[in-house]
Amino acid sequence: MALSCSASMGVWPENATKRKLYSKLREALRIWESIPMPVAYRQERRFFRYNHVMAKFFALIPAAGSGSRMGNELPKQYLPLAGRPMIYHALRTLCDSPRIAGVFVVLAPGDSEWSSYDWSEFSGKLVVFDCGGAARAESILNGLKAAPGASAIGADDWVLVHDAARPCLSAAQLDKLIDELADDAVGGLLAVPVADTLKRGDTGSRVERTESRVGLWQAQTPQMFRYQLLVDALSRVGGAAMTDDAGAVEALGLHPRLVLSDAHNLKVTYPQDLALAELILRERKPQ
């Protein structure tokens, strides 16, 4: 009978010898946890205590923003795209995946637009919260705190945070992210290496210098981290200055993994992006 490395699992050996070994293992873990260590060191080495077989995958989409750069009164997540509101396309990819146990959407309080659409095809997995905050990170943290009351999410389960404005996420990209991070000590994100030449400008819109793009990546979503780690990270750093979840995890001294994606997983930020996203969606074969 294999020994469990997690004292919280409640799996006890069958005979006296195994019970003794198990007791020593628990004591060793207790002593290890009591040794003062940097947060980053402890977090990156505690992953062996997770039960990877039992860990579940959840997705969370913050959708409380206004999308002001689109120049439209309708919040960006509801803009029509390929015959559906934009957020529908990300929801479909996430809800259709057999690996995703549940999908949380965090709306702004008083959002009346959501209810004007039919979301019944996602009813088996979709949970909606109306606790969005003033900033993206605040909406995510509020949604994470609400999740245990509406699902069986646990501290060691994975949460994939995805932008509502990235409607072109494919099933293949989603599977690649999960495959490469399921046994990772920290977690990570989809990203693409920077291809364009980068210029730093001054206050007069003149080139100050050319920046090296060596080692630079453009972050995408989903960004995938353990539930409790993500709650801790967002709680400690605050939300106002954080533009992505990986940044909050980095602030703890951890190093998320970069998982190679491609430009099809674009973020719709400006009106001209809608046409490109629609082209990608219409040319993609049914998933």
Side-chain angles (χ1 to χ4, degrees):
M1 179 179 179
L3 296 181
S4 169
C5 286
S6 175
S8 65
M9 293 298 291
V11 179
W12 291 94
E14 297 172 340
N15 57 44
T17 301
K18 289 181 179 179
R19 285 199 298 271
K20 185 175 181 180
L21 289 172
Y22 190 79
S23 177
K24 288 183 178 180
L25 176 59
R26 292 184 62 199
E27 179 64 15
L29 288 173
R30 186 189 66 78
I31 294 173
W32 184 87
E33 290 285 2
S34 69
I35 299 173
M37 298 179 187
V39 172
Y41 182 92
R42 189 181 301 281
Q43 289 285 358
E44 290 201 24
R45 284 155 180 78
R46 68 188 291 265
F47 78 98
F48 73 95
R49 301 185 65 187
Y50 293 137
N51 188 325
H52 294 298
V53 175
M54 298 300 294
K56 299 182 292 296
F57 301 92
F58 294 84
L60 186 150
I61 300 179
S66 62
S68 58
R69 283 177 288 186
M70 292 296 293
N72 197 301
E73 291 185 5
L74 190 67
K76 181 167 60 175
Q77 57 269 24
Y78 299 121
L79 291 177
L81 177 63
R84 302 278 191 167
M86 188 189 303
I87 192 174
Y88 168 89
H89 302 285
L91 281 173
R92 181 188 173 196
T93 299
L94 294 168
C95 288
D96 280 358
S97 171
R99 306 175 78 174
I100 301 295
V103 179
F104 311 117
V105 173
V106 184
L107 305 177
D111 183 325
S112 60
E113 192 67 27
W114 175 268
S115 60
S116 65
Y117 302 96
D118 180 10
W119 307 103
S120 58
E121 67 179 283
F122 305 132
S123 60
K125 290 187 178 181
L126 185 61
V127 178
V128 181
F129 302 123
D130 61 352
C131 55
R136 180 181 185 276
E138 185 180 350
S139 294
I140 294 169
L141 182 58
N142 289 348
L144 290 172
K145 289 181 176 179
S151 69
I153 194 169
D156 297 340
D157 288 331
W158 291 102
V159 179
L160 288 75
V161 180
H162 186 57
D163 294 332
R166 290 190 188 272
C168 301
L169 174 71
S170 69
Q173 290 167 331
L174 179 62
D175 284 339
K176 182 178 182 181
L177 182 72
I178 293 174
D179 288 341
E180 294 198 19
L181 296 181
D183 293 317
D184 195 83
V186 178
L189 63 152
L190 289 179
V192 292
V194 171
D196 295 332
T197 299
L198 301 176
K199 302 289 186 181
R200 182 175 297 279
D202 61 18
T203 55
S205 297
R206 296 282 183 176
V207 174
E208 186 175 296
R209 64 178 178 271
T210 298
E211 299 284 359
S212 172
R213 64 184 182 218
V214 175
L216 294 182
W217 291 65
Q218 186 174 348
Q220 296 183 351
T221 66
Q223 302 193 358
M224 176 174 151
F225 300 99
R226 300 275 182 180
Y227 172 83
Q228 193 59 55
L229 173 60
L230 193 53
V231 169
D232 292 344
L234 292 172
S235 298
R236 292 185 187 187
V237 302
M242 284 295 162
T243 58
D244 75 346
D245 318 293
V249 173
E250 293 162 35
L252 297 180
L254 301 176
H255 303 282
R257 183 173 177 179
L258 296 164
V259 177
L260 182 64
S261 181
D262 61 57
H264 288 87
N265 187 27
L266 81 164
K267 184 175 182 180
V268 176
T269 305
Y270 300 103
Q272 58 267 30
D273 297 331
L274 276 171
L276 180 56
E278 181 145 356
L279 180 64
I280 293 171
L281 290 171
R282 291 197 180 281
E283 290 187 348
R284 181 176 292 165
K285 294 180 179 180
Q287 298 181 28

Coordinates of all heavy atoms in Angstrom, one line a residue, residues 66-108:
S66 N -15.7 48.0 -18.5 CA -16.5 48.8 -19.4 C -16.0 48.8 -20.8 O -16.7 49.1 -21.8 CB -16.6 50.2 -19.0 OG -15.4 50.9 -18.9
G67 N -14.7 48.5 -21.0 CA -14.1 48.5 -22.3 C -14.1 49.8 -23.0 O -14.5 50.0 -24.2
S68 N -13.6 50.8 -22.3 CA -13.7 52.2 -22.7 C -12.9 52.5 -24.0 O -13.3 53.3 -24.8 CB -13.2 53.2 -21.6 OG -11.9 52.8 -21.2
R69 N -11.9 51.7 -24.2 CA -11.0 52.0 -25.4 C -11.7 51.5 -26.7 O -11.3 51.9 -27.8 CB -9.7 51.3 -25.3 CG -8.7 52.0 -24.4 CD -7.4 51.2 -24.2 NE -7.6 50.1 -23.4 CZ -6.6 49.3 -23.0 NH1 -5.3 49.6 -23.3 NH2 -6.8 48.2 -22.2
M70 N -12.8 50.8 -26.6 CA -13.6 50.4 -27.8 C -14.5 51.5 -28.3 O -15.0 51.4 -29.4 CB -14.4 49.1 -27.5 CG -13.6 47.9 -27.2 SD -12.7 47.3 -28.6 CE -14.0 46.9 -29.7
G71 N -14.7 52.6 -27.5 CA -15.5 53.7 -27.9 C -16.9 53.3 -28.1 O -17.6 53.8 -29.0
N72 N -17.5 52.4 -27.2 CA -18.8 51.9 -27.4 C -19.5 52.0 -26.0 O -18.9 51.6 -25.0 CB -18.8 50.5 -27.9 CG -20.2 50.1 -28.5 OD1 -21.2 50.1 -27.8 ND2 -20.2 49.7 -29.8
E73 N -20.8 52.3 -26.0 CA -21.5 52.4 -24.7 C -21.7 51.0 -24.2 O -21.8 50.8 -22.9 CB -22.8 53.1 -24.9 CG -22.7 54.6 -25.1 CD -24.0 55.3 -25.2 OE1 -25.0 54.6 -24.9 OE2 -24.0 56.5 -25.5
L74 N -21.9 50.0 -25.0 CA -22.1 48.6 -24.6 C -20.7 48.0 -24.1 O -19.7 48.2 -24.7 CB -22.5 47.8 -25.8 CG -23.0 46.3 -25.5 CD1 -24.3 46.4 -24.7 CD2 -23.2 45.6 -26.8
P75 N -20.7 47.5 -22.8 CA -19.5 46.9 -22.3 C -18.9 45.9 -23.3 O -19.6 45.2 -24.0 CB -20.0 46.1 -21.1 CG -21.2 46.9 -20.6 CD -21.8 47.3 -21.9
K76 N -17.6 45.9 -23.4 CA -16.9 45.2 -24.5 C -17.2 43.7 -24.5 O -17.3 43.1 -25.6 CB -15.3 45.3 -24.3 CG -14.5 44.6 -25.3 CD -13.1 45.0 -25.3 CE -12.4 44.8 -24.0 NZ -10.9 45.1 -24.0
Q77 N -17.4 43.1 -23.4 CA -17.7 41.6 -23.4 C -19.0 41.3 -24.0 O -19.3 40.1 -24.4 CB -17.7 41.1 -21.9 CG -18.7 41.8 -21.0 CD -18.1 42.9 -20.3 OE1 -17.1 43.5 -20.7 NE2 -18.6 43.2 -19.1
Y78 N -19.9 42.3 -24.3 CA -21.2 42.0 -24.9 C -21.2 42.5 -26.4 O -22.3 42.3 -27.0 CB -22.3 42.7 -24.1 CG -22.4 42.2 -22.7 CD1 -22.3 43.1 -21.7 CD2 -22.7 40.9 -22.4 CE1 -22.4 42.7 -20.4 CE2 -22.8 40.4 -21.1 CZ -22.7 41.3 -20.1 OH -22.8 40.9 -18.8
L79 N -20.1 43.0 -26.9 CA -20.1 43.5 -28.3 C -20.4 42.3 -29.2 O -19.9 41.2 -29.0 CB -18.8 44.1 -28.6 CG -18.5 45.5 -28.0 CD1 -17.1 46.0 -28.4 CD2 -19.6 46.5 -28.4
P80 N -21.2 42.5 -30.3 CA -21.5 41.3 -31.2 C -20.2 40.9 -31.9 O -19.5 41.7 -32.5 CB -22.5 41.9 -32.1 CG -22.4 43.4 -32.0 CD -21.9 43.7 -30.6
L81 N -20.0 39.6 -31.9 CA -18.9 39.0 -32.6 C -19.3 37.6 -33.2 O -19.7 36.7 -32.4 CB -17.7 38.8 -31.7 CG -16.5 38.1 -32.2 CD1 -15.9 39.0 -33.4 CD2 -15.4 37.9 -31.1
A82 N -19.3 37.5 -34.5 CA -19.7 36.3 -35.2 C -21.1 35.8 -34.7 O -21.3 34.6 -34.5 CB -18.7 35.2 -34.9
G83 N -22.0 36.8 -34.6 CA -23.4 36.4 -34.2 C -23.7 36.2 -32.8 O -24.8 35.8 -32.4
R84 N -22.7 36.4 -31.9 CA -22.8 36.2 -30.5 C -22.2 37.3 -29.7 O -21.3 38.0 -30.2 CB -22.2 34.9 -30.1 CG -22.7 33.6 -30.8 CD -23.9 33.1 -30.2 NE -24.3 31.8 -30.7 CZ -25.2 31.0 -30.1 NH1 -25.8 31.4 -29.1 NH2 -25.4 29.8 -30.7
P85 N -22.5 37.5 -28.4 CA -21.8 38.5 -27.6 C -20.4 37.9 -27.4 O -20.1 36.7 -27.4 CB -22.5 38.5 -26.3 CG -23.3 37.2 -26.2 CD -23.7 36.9 -27.7
M86 N -19.4 38.8 -27.4 CA -18.0 38.4 -27.4 C -17.7 37.3 -26.3 O -16.9 36.4 -26.6 CB -17.1 39.6 -27.2 CG -15.6 39.3 -27.4 SD -14.5 40.7 -26.9 CE -15.1 42.0 -28.0
I87 N -18.2 37.5 -25.1 CA -17.8 36.6 -24.1 C -18.3 35.2 -24.3 O -17.7 34.2 -23.8 CB -18.4 37.1 -22.7 CG1 -17.7 36.3 -21.5 CG2 -19.9 37.0 -22.7 CD1 -18.2 36.9 -20.2
Y88 N -19.3 35.0 -25.2 CA -19.8 33.7 -25.5 C -18.7 32.7 -26.0 O -18.6 31.6 -25.6 CB -20.9 33.8 -26.5 CG -21.3 32.4 -27.1 CD1 -22.3 31.7 -26.5 CD2 -20.7 31.9 -28.3 CE1 -22.6 30.4 -27.1 CE2 -21.0 30.7 -28.8 CZ -22.0 29.9 -28.2 OH -22.3 28.7 -28.7
H89 N -17.8 33.3 -26.8 CA -16.8 32.4 -27.5 C -15.8 31.8 -26.5 O -15.4 30.6 -26.6 CB -16.1 33.2 -28.6 CG -17.1 33.7 -29.6 ND1 -17.7 32.9 -30.6 CD2 -17.6 35.0 -29.8 CE1 -18.5 33.7 -31.3 NE2 -18.5 34.9 -30.9
A90 N -15.4 32.6 -25.5 CA -14.5 32.1 -24.5 C -15.2 31.1 -23.6 O -14.7 30.1 -23.2 CB -13.9 33.3 -23.7
L91 N -16.5 31.4 -23.3 CA -17.3 30.5 -22.5 C -17.4 29.2 -23.1 O -17.3 28.1 -22.5 CB -18.6 31.1 -22.2 CG -18.7 32.2 -21.1 CD1 -20.1 32.8 -21.0 CD2 -18.3 31.6 -19.7
R92 N -17.7 29.2 -24.4 CA -17.9 27.9 -25.1 C -16.6 27.1 -25.1 O -16.7 25.9 -24.8 CB -18.2 28.2 -26.6 CG -18.5 27.0 -27.4 CD -18.7 27.2 -28.9 NE -18.8 25.9 -29.6 CZ -18.6 25.8 -30.9 NH1 -18.4 26.9 -31.6 NH2 -18.7 24.7 -31.5
T93 N -15.5 27.6 -25.3 CA -14.2 26.9 -25.3 C -14.0 26.3 -23.9 O -13.6 25.1 -23.8 CB -13.0 27.7 -25.7 OG1 -13.2 28.2 -27.0 CG2 -11.7 26.9 -25.7
L94 N -14.2 27.1 -22.9 CA -14.0 26.6 -21.5 C -15.0 25.6 -21.1 O -14.7 24.5 -20.5 CB -13.9 27.8 -20.6 CG -12.8 28.8 -20.8 CD1 -13.0 30.0 -20.0 CD2 -11.4 28.1 -20.4
C95 N -16.3 25.8 -21.3 CA -17.3 24.9 -20.9 C -17.3 23.6 -21.7 O -17.7 22.6 -21.2 CB -18.7 25.6 -21.0 SG -18.9 26.9 -19.7
D96 N -16.9 23.7 -22.9 CA -16.9 22.5 -23.7 C -15.8 21.5 -23.4 O -15.8 20.3 -23.8 CB -16.8 22.8 -25.2 CG -18.1 23.3 -25.8 OD1 -19.1 23.2 -25.1 OD2 -18.1 23.6 -27.0
S97 N -14.8 22.0 -22.7 CA -13.6 21.2 -22.3 C -14.0 20.2 -21.2 O -14.5 20.6 -20.1 CB -12.5 22.0 -21.8 OG -11.4 21.2 -21.3
P98 N -13.8 18.9 -21.4 CA -14.2 17.9 -20.4 C -13.2 18.0 -19.2 O -13.5 17.4 -18.1 CB -14.0 16.6 -21.1 CG -13.1 16.9 -22.2 CD -13.3 18.3 -22.6
R99 N -12.1 18.8 -19.3 CA -11.2 18.9 -18.2 C -11.5 20.0 -17.2 O -11.0 20.0 -16.1 CB -9.8 19.1 -18.8 CG -9.4 18.1 -19.8 CD -8.1 18.3 -20.5 NE -7.0 18.0 -19.7 CZ -5.7 18.0 -20.1 NH1 -5.4 18.4 -21.3 NH2 -4.7 17.7 -19.3
I100 N -12.4 20.9 -17.6 CA -12.8 22.0 -16.8 C -14.0 21.7 -16.0 O -15.1 21.3 -16.6 CB -13.1 23.3 -17.6 CG1 -11.8 23.7 -18.4 CG2 -13.5 24.4 -16.7 CD1 -10.6 24.1 -17.6
A101 N -13.9 21.7 -14.7 CA -15.0 21.3 -13.8 C -16.1 22.3 -13.6 O -17.2 22.0 -13.4 CB -14.4 20.9 -12.4
G102 N -15.7 23.6 -13.7 CA -16.6 24.7 -13.6 C -16.1 26.0 -14.1 O -14.9 26.1 -14.1
V103 N -17.0 26.9 -14.5 CA -16.5 28.2 -15.0 C -17.3 29.3 -14.3 O -18.5 29.3 -14.2 CB -16.8 28.3 -16.5 CG1 -16.4 29.7 -17.1 CG2 -16.1 27.2 -17.3
F104 N -16.5 30.2 -13.7 CA -17.1 31.3 -12.9 C -17.0 32.6 -13.8 O -15.9 32.9 -14.4 CB -16.3 31.6 -11.6 CG -16.1 30.3 -10.8 CD1 -14.8 29.8 -10.5 CD2 -17.2 29.6 -10.3 CE1 -14.7 28.7 -9.8 CE2 -17.0 28.5 -9.5 CZ -15.8 28.0 -9.3
V105 N -18.0 33.3 -13.8 CA -18.0 34.7 -14.5 C -18.3 35.7 -13.4 O -19.3 35.6 -12.7 CB -19.1 34.7 -15.6 CG1 -19.1 36.2 -16.2 CG2 -18.7 33.8 -16.8
V106 N -17.5 36.7 -13.4 CA -17.7 37.8 -12.4 C -18.1 39.1 -13.1 O -17.4 39.7 -13.8 CB -16.3 38.1 -11.6 CG1 -16.6 39.1 -10.5 CG2 -15.8 36.8 -11.0
L107 N -19.4 39.5 -12.8 CA -20.0 40.6 -13.4 C -19.9 41.8 -12.5 O -19.8 41.7 -11.3 CB -21.4 40.3 -13.8 CG -21.7 39.1 -14.7 CD1 -23.3 39.0 -14.8 CD2 -21.0 39.3 -16.0
A108 N -20.1 43.0 -13.0 CA -20.3 44.2 -12.2 C -21.6 44.2 -11.5 O -22.6 43.7 -12.1 CB -20.2 45.4 -13.1

